[in-house]
Amino acid sequence: MPELLIALLAFVAVMVGGMYGFSVLASKMVTHAIQTRLKALEQITNEQIPDDWLRPFRRRVAALRQTAADEGRFSRLSGRIQRHCLRNLDEMIRFTTRVNYTDSAATQKELLGILNTHRETWAAKEWRAWITHVEDLDKPAETGEGVEMLER
């Protein structure tokens, strides 16, 4: 009988520990997903294409540059980049429509207007621009301090 009680207590301890661990993990995953979306949304409202959306294409663009590929191959890759970014933007629009994380309905409406405007702009963007956006990921971002130092 005492062995059964010890086994039961051990089982309960493992289950409680597992549930706690799972809840911590789930909380971190949800927090990361929301932070990633908010970072992308911030970049979009600052007239940028989110770095995380372009990053998967860096190696392919670099490989095409190294092999001096023709414009047709760059154009096809650019189409894939554009479709990927437009799918992500469509998901961002759906998320912003479903989940209201703004302070008011007017702010949400304005945000959706910005996202839809970018949707139209990105859909009409020339293929060379998409390649340039991916290549710009490797360039250091200019800061106000660096510009000040150059002006002095």
Side-chain angles (χ1 to χ4, degrees), residues 28-152:
K28 287 184 180 190
M29 289 173 63
V30 168
T31 301
H32 176 71
I34 290 172
Q35 287 174 340
T36 301
R37 282 194 174 145
L38 290 176
K39 180 183 172 191
L41 186 60
E42 180 182 9
Q43 287 180 313
I44 293 168
T45 57
N46 289 330
E47 306 291 323
Q48 300 170 340
I49 299 171
D51 296 344
D52 290 342
W53 297 1
L54 296 172
R55 200 167 283 119
F57 299 97
R58 283 172 50 191
R59 284 189 189 143
R60 287 182 234 166
V61 169
L64 288 180
R65 284 281 181 223
Q66 283 181 338
T67 61
D70 62 349
E71 285 190 1
R73 291 182 66 191
F74 275 109
S75 178
R76 284 190 296 279
L77 178 59
S78 178
R80 292 178 67 193
I81 295 168
Q82 183 182 36
R83 285 189 299 278
H84 174 76
C85 290
L86 288 174
R87 271 194 309 268
N88 285 338
L89 185 58
D90 289 341
E91 175 54 35
M92 181 70 72
I93 291 169
R94 281 191 297 277
F95 176 76
T96 303
T97 303
R98 284 190 324 257
V99 178
N100 186 9
Y101 51 88
T102 59
D103 59 346
S104 68
T107 304
Q108 183 181 21
K109 185 176 180 179
E110 182 179 343
L111 184 58
L112 285 169
I114 290 169
L115 293 174
N116 284 315
T117 300
H118 284 296
R119 173 78 171 84
E120 292 171 13
T121 304
W122 292 5
K125 199 177 280 269
E126 183 189 27
W127 70 264
R128 286 179 179 87
W130 290 103
I131 299 297
T132 302
H133 286 304
V134 173
E135 290 176 330
D136 286 347
L137 290 175
D138 294 328
K139 295 179 184 174
E142 290 185 23
T143 62
E145 294 172 9
V147 173
E148 281 180 14
M149 299 279 290
L150 290 174
E151 291 176 355
R152 289 185 192 169

Side-chain angles (χ1 to χ4, degrees), residues 1-15:
M1 187 71 163
E3 298 87 19
L4 184 61
L5 185 59
I6 292 172
L8 181 62
L9 288 175
F11 177 75
V12 168
V14 167
M15 290 300 291

